[in-house]
Amino acid sequence: MEIAEKKSTEIAKFLNELGIKEENFGASTGLNNLKTTGAIINSYSPVDGSLIGRVHCATEAEYEKVMETATAAFKVWRNIPAPKRGEIVRQMGEQFRKYKEPLGQLVSYEMGKSLQEGLGEVQEIIDICDFAVGLSRQLYGLTMHSERPQHRMYEQWHPLGVVGVISAFNFPVAVWSWNTMIAWVCGDVCIWKPSSKTPLCSIACQNIISEVLRKNNVPEGVSNIVIGNAMGDLINNDHRIPLVSFTGSTKIGRRVSAKVAERFGKSILELGGNNAIIVSEHADLNMVLVGAVFGAVGTAGQRCTSTRRLIVHESIYDKTIDVLKKAYGQLKIGNPLDKNNHVGPLIDKGAVNEYLNAIEEAIKEGGKIIVEGGVVNIQGYEGGCYVKPCIIEAKNSFKIVQQETFAPILYIMKYSKIEEAIAMQNGVPQGLSSSIFTSNMREVELFLSANGSDCGIANVNIGTSGAEIGGAFGGEKETGGGRESGSDAWKAYMRRQTNTINYGSELPFAQGIKFDF
């Protein structure tokens, strides 16, 4: 078979274990895979340029079949008690524990991130399953005191319906789980449109949970997948989908937001990040080194929380540069399935071109190369997607610095006062993640105050990358303002209803209104 002939025994093994075939179909209702007839997507690994497998995209007619099944499934699923739904999610978590190694390998091979990060992404699925199980018994509403005698007021939360999840290539499985596991315990059903750059990861996830769905007699249509670029517009325009969770670029996010809002739907938007670390004169540089380097080069700079800017106090600026140069000199670039390597490839050659263009633009604007970048050619891995992480001395006002480039480029700049550093940190259109390294309590409190970071995530003495599932994830400004995963983000997947019960024998009105006749 072509897929096996082009792969090592190890790769063929984990593909087989996950049920990934040479040809796959791009629509599933959880219990059944539809034989889709749309255009073919060839999934090539950025690791070595090899063909992993093919996926037949869904057509509009096949999408309609999936939606009809999902809509019918919701009417059954919403009436299953939430703790029972949580038990099913718990079993899914056990399945992902069982398949953590092969799924982590597939994530690494199809997306290009290091194996450690691929395994970490599957661990996120496991963690969110655990979180969702507990949440299934904590979908609380408040009880309020009524101003009217013998009246009781309270609020309760009901499931929304069919939730659309549109995910990006950089986290091909984790972002799906953040949304679906929470939505499922809330009583929603989900339709997932994964990135066309990493379609096999989504098929693997559906294969992994299919046994749990069957064993628990889960209605067909609770877990759905539709693959293909055209599916995004169908989801965004579908009035039967009350909530769309979209992860991707700010440019596409604007379009998604407008389309969903036009039909009075709700959206969760997780868009671009332009994240900065402030390095105070009171910082521990050993800690800065770990946080900044991983933040900048982890996933080859293709995280929305990747560190793009390093804002360093002038008194330690030169020392920080020397430390970073030494660390970057020790980075190992290569096959991400090799645990000894730190940096894998970019997702495709288009991303490589954006990386090269960004470096060129930074130089044109007056930037100074601190650590040189460029394309890396590695024998045996000729996919053409490996690049060197680079550091560029720049100004925050540079046009290219104001943009998000999904690549391992770190812009470094200096400041003199903490207020100036915070203004620089906030002085970009995006507002996802931020960080300060300092042992000065005044600086910490200022950074975390209303006058401090304007981001959805603000960290102290840890980097910008690597959020835990227990906290609500998301950002402000052009990052979209959405929240998903932990905390009370579950409320986005439900509709709030206020109830008032009159258990008396009279009918008084609120605000003391009299209506006698």
Side-chain angles (χ1 to χ4, degrees):
M1 188 173 71
E2 184 179 3
I3 188 171
E5 291 171 355
K6 290 189 176 181
K7 307 291 173 295
S8 68
T9 303
E10 179 187 9
I11 292 170
K13 180 181 178 182
F14 71 68
L15 292 174
N16 182 64
E17 192 171 349
L18 293 167
I20 302 300
K21 303 174 182 178
E22 182 177 3
E23 292 197 2
N24 304 270
F25 297 106
S28 171
T29 55
L31 301 181
N32 292 296
N33 296 322
L34 277 65
K35 192 168 183 179
T36 48
T37 57
I40 293 176
I41 295 174
N42 292 320
S43 180
Y44 294 97
S45 171
V47 174
D48 56 13
S50 295
L51 177 67
I52 310 174
R54 299 180 176 87
V55 179
H56 292 261
C57 295
T59 64
E60 186 170 351
E62 290 150 359
Y63 168 86
E64 188 60 31
K65 290 180 183 178
V66 171
M67 273 303 302
E68 288 175 0
T69 306
T71 302
F74 171 63
K75 296 176 182 178
V76 178
W77 183 246
R78 67 184 175 186
N79 289 315
I80 296 174
K84 296 293 185 182
R85 298 192 295 255
E87 166 58 19
I88 293 168
V89 169
R90 184 196 67 78
Q91 293 176 33
M92 291 179 182
E94 291 302 310
Q95 281 292 94
F96 283 108
R97 283 181 171 88
K98 179 180 176 181
Y99 287 95
K100 180 178 178 178
E101 189 72 26
L103 183 57
Q105 289 174 313
L106 176 60
V107 168
S108 178
Y109 191 61
E110 189 175 32
M111 185 268 150
K113 63 177 60 177
S114 73
L115 180 57
Q116 289 294 328
E117 292 180 79
L119 294 171
E121 187 167 343
V122 182
Q123 186 61 48
E124 286 193 63
I125 302 179
I126 296 166
D127 292 344
I128 200 68
C129 285
D130 288 348
F131 181 89
V133 173
L135 179 64
S136 68
R137 295 180 182 270
Q138 299 178 77
L139 303 174
Y140 299 135
L142 297 174
T143 298
M144 291 78 73
H145 289 281
S146 173
E147 66 183 64
R148 291 166 285 184
Q150 295 184 310
H151 281 60
R152 180 165 71 88
M153 291 178 61
Y154 68 96
E155 67 179 23
Q156 58 180 335
W157 296 83
H158 297 299
L160 284 172
V162 182
V163 171
V165 179
I166 303 175
S167 62
F169 74 87
N170 60 329
F171 279 85
V173 298
V175 170
W176 162 75
S177 72
W178 295 352
N179 287 277
T180 53
M181 301 306 170
I182 302 298
W184 281 338
V185 298
C186 288
D188 301 314
V189 303
C190 295
I191 180 167
W192 179 20
K193 186 265 173 200
S195 169
S196 294
K197 295 182 180 182
T198 52
L200 300 179
C201 287
S202 63
I203 293 171
C205 287
Q206 193 82 320
N207 291 345
I208 287 170
I209 65 173
S210 61
E211 181 182 336
V212 174
L213 298 174
R214 288 188 174 87
K215 184 174 67 174
N216 289 278
N217 295 316
V218 173
E220 181 182 6
V222 169
S223 177
N224 306 280
I225 293 177
V226 287
I227 295 175
N229 290 333
M231 298 297 105
D233 282 341
L234 292 176
I235 289 173
N236 296 329
N237 291 318
D238 198 327
H239 69 276
R240 294 168 295 181
I241 300 179
L243 172 66
V244 175
S245 176
F246 172 80
T247 302
S249 69
T250 297
K251 178 181 178 181
I252 304 300
R254 281 195 178 97
R255 193 173 76 187
V256 171
S257 177
K259 287 185 175 182
V260 176
E262 187 176 353
R263 59 178 177 82
F264 295 104
K266 299 197 297 181
S267 58
I268 299 172
L269 301 174
E270 300 292 351
L271 310 177
N274 195 346
N275 316 295
I277 294 176
I278 297 172
V279 183
S280 163
E281 60 187 312
H282 307 290
D284 182 333
L285 282 186
N286 290 325
M287 294 175 67
V288 171
L289 183 65
V290 176
V293 175
F294 176 75
V297 310
T299 323
Q302 296 172 112
R303 291 186 177 214
C304 52
T305 55
S306 290
T307 305
R308 311 287 178 201
R309 298 172 294 142
L310 202 62
I311 304 169
V312 184
H313 191 270
E314 58 189 7
S315 66
I316 57 169
Y317 186 76
D318 292 338
K319 184 178 180 181
T320 302
I321 286 178
D322 290 341
V323 169
L324 285 171
K325 280 183 176 179
K326 185 177 180 180
Y328 270 55
Q330 296 173 347
L331 292 174
K332 295 179 180 178
I333 305 169
N335 178 9
L337 292 173
D338 183 343
K339 294 182 180 180
N340 294 315
N341 291 326
H342 302 102
V343 184
L346 293 176
I347 186 64
D348 55 28
K349 290 183 179 178
V352 173
N353 289 334
E354 289 184 9
Y355 157 86
L356 294 173
N357 290 338
I359 295 174
E360 183 179 346
E361 287 299 315
I363 294 171
K364 284 181 180 178
E365 292 191 68
K368 177 184 175 183
I369 299 296
I370 301 298
V371 175
E372 189 174 0
V375 177
V376 181
N377 294 312
I378 302 173
Q379 188 174 2
Y381 299 92
E382 288 87 0
C385 297
Y386 292 89
V387 300
K388 296 178 183 177
C390 71
I391 302 176
I392 302 175
E393 186 177 57
K395 292 183 179 179
N396 204 56
S397 59
F398 285 1
K399 184 177 178 181
I400 192 64
V401 174
Q402 292 285 308
Q403 301 171 11
E404 178 189 44
T405 302
F406 240 43
I409 301 173
L410 179 64
Y411 301 109
I412 188 167
M413 54 202 76
K414 66 176 71 171
Y415 76 93
S416 58
K417 295 183 179 180
I418 185 62
E419 292 81 4
E420 177 191 1
I422 292 174
M424 292 168 68
Q425 136 68 39
N426 293 343
V428 292
Q430 308 83 1
L432 179 52
S433 187
S434 58
S435 169
I436 186 171
F437 279 81
T438 184
S439 59
N440 183 297
M441 185 59 69
R442 176 182 173 273
E443 292 181 335
V444 169
E445 292 298 333
L446 180 61
F447 180 73
L448 299 177
S449 73
N451 296 317
S453 170
D454 63 0
C455 293
I457 299 169
N459 296 327
V460 177
N461 294 327
I462 62 172
T464 61
S465 191
E468 296 183 36
I469 59 93
F473 181 88
E476 303 299 327
K477 302 189 294 188
E478 289 191 1
T479 299
R483 294 296 186 274
E484 58 193 9
S485 189
S487 186
D488 66 346
W490 61 270
K491 293 180 178 179
Y493 303 90
M494 305 192 82
R495 58 182 177 88
R496 185 197 304 252
Q497 185 180 76
T498 300
N499 307 112
T500 306
I501 299 174
N502 178 2
Y503 58 90
S505 57
E506 297 181 357
L507 185 60
F509 293 98
Q511 293 84 45
I513 294 173
K514 300 294 184 182
F515 188 72
D516 298 325
F517 61 91

